[in-house]
């Protein structure tokens, strides 16, 4: 017996000091449409979370997965602490015909933001203004 379309799913996880909620729909053509909300209740610290959706066979083994989508939020007192993003993928027909389940994987995916900032134009300017040269 085949599966019925559309396939709908949703999952909420607490990750990395914040929260993620992803819902999706897959239609009979394999078009996957997803919405991911990422947010934190922490005042001074944000986080980056990643999400992907895996399609499984009848034994629960993954047979295909979307790319991971990463979304960062800032602490509530810093900047944007809540964001909702839509994304999509296409499940190949041979995978869709074998699909018997799915998994929504949401996880903390930290990034070395300090190093990225230090290399940025803003970071370089601030560092140059604050640097102390040591005498040898």
């Amino acid at each position: 017996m085949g599966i019925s379309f559309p396939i709908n799913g949703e999952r909420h996880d607490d990750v990395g000091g914040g929260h993620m909620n992803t819902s999706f729909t897959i239609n009979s053509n394999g078009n996957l449409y997803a919405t991911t909300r990422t947010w934190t209740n922490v005042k001074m610290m944000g986080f980056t979370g990643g999400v992907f959706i895996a399609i499984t066979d009848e034994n629960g083994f993954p047979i295909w997965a979307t790319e991971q989508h990463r979304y960062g939020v800032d602490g509530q007192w810093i900047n944007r602490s809540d964001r909702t993003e839509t994304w999509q993928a296409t499940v190949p027909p041979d995978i869709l015909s074998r699909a018997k389940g799915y998994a929504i994987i949401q996880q903390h995916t930290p990034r070395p933001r300090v190093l990225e900032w230090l290399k940025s134009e803003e970071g370089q300017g601030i560092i140059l203004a604050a640097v102390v040269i040591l005498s040898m």
Side-chain angles (χ1 to χ4, degrees), residues 65-78:
T66 66
E67 295 292 321
Q68 184 180 66
H69 297 265
R70 296 174 68 189
Y71 305 110
V73 292
D74 296 320
Q76 289 183 329
W77 290 356
I78 299 171

Side-chain angles (χ1 to χ4, degrees), residues 3 10 12 14-16 25 37 51 64 71-73 83 89 94-95 98-99 114 121 124 136:
I3 57 174
E10 184 170 8
H12 172 88
D14 296 326
V15 291
T25 297
R37 178 180 177 214
V51 58
W64 181 85
Y71 305 110
V73 292
R83 71 188 287 182
D94 63 315
I95 298 297
R98 296 172 27 219
V114 171
E121 188 175 323
Q124 289 289 311
M136 300 285 243

